[in-house]
Amino acid sequence: MLGAAEEYAIECAILKVFGSEILDFVVDEGVQIHGGNGYSDEYVISKAYRDSRINRIYEGTNEINRLLTVDMVLKRAMKGRLDIMGPALAVSKELMSIPDFGGGDDGPFAKEKKAIQNFKKAILLTAGAAVQKLMAKLENEQEILMDIADMAIDVFVAESALLRVQKLVDQRGEAAAAFELDITRTFIYDAADRIGKSGRDAINAFADGDEQRMMLLGIKRFTKVEPFNSKDARRRIADRLISDNKYPL
């Protein structure tokens, strides 16, 4: 049973970090909306604000869980259970080739699938280069490991959201899943910037010269997404939340 649980240790670490930090963001916004009353015990939001903070500490601090996320992947790769360097080298070769501007997949969610596929390439490019350059020293470069972990967290959540919304569309149709589609597309759009920032920070920490310039171009290429009106999407999401006056999912 412990062995079976360990198979999902990476996903558990990711969900713990993401869930606790999203909750912190939500309750912080809640206090802001309440203004000075947000600090008053008469309002439930003040309790939520206090209670939320502990989540980033117990069950392993979020910093430790970030390090474990990357560490466990690398250990599985070293044991031959997971091939990282093969796909990482393939991404490096892709950077040297002419980009494919063909039509590609034009099926449902083709743009979202392509974005997530490219996000994964950004991780492989960054992590693969860091392993090759730093080798055993990588375990002491916690800032780089955390940057890579942040990239992985965003990609995991983006792909999970997309898979869920695909299932909903299959069950209910696209119109009935418009709310979830707005959430997913907004998250992917925002994640592109965060992944790009984490990738650049990591690369700038261990690379220089032509190698650095090439990898930074790769990060830019793999975190490019289609234009998206996130302002209107956020308004639609807010309107639904206000209308339902409850957790809608």
Side-chain angles (χ1 to χ4, degrees), residues 150-167:
D150 282 338
M151 297 169 79
I153 290 168
D154 266 324
V155 174
F156 180 86
V157 176
E159 186 167 40
S160 298
L162 181 59
L163 290 170
R164 178 173 180 178
V165 86
Q166 283 181 266
K167 186 181 291 186

Side-chain angles (χ1 to χ4, degrees), residues 20-48:
S20 62
E21 292 184 1
I22 282 294
L23 178 59
D24 263 1
F25 172 78
V26 170
V27 296
D28 187 75
E29 289 291 292
V31 169
Q32 191 71 17
I33 289 168
H34 281 74
N37 289 330
Y39 273 95
S40 172
D41 284 344
E42 297 176 22
Y43 291 81
V44 177
I45 191 64
S46 68
K47 182 178 185 300

Side-chain angles (χ1 to χ4, degrees), residues 80-99:
R81 295 174 55 195
L82 190 64
D83 181 16
I84 292 179
M85 294 312 299
L89 290 172
V91 171
S92 296
K93 289 180 181 179
E94 183 180 338
L95 278 181
M96 305 301 293
S97 63
I98 299 173

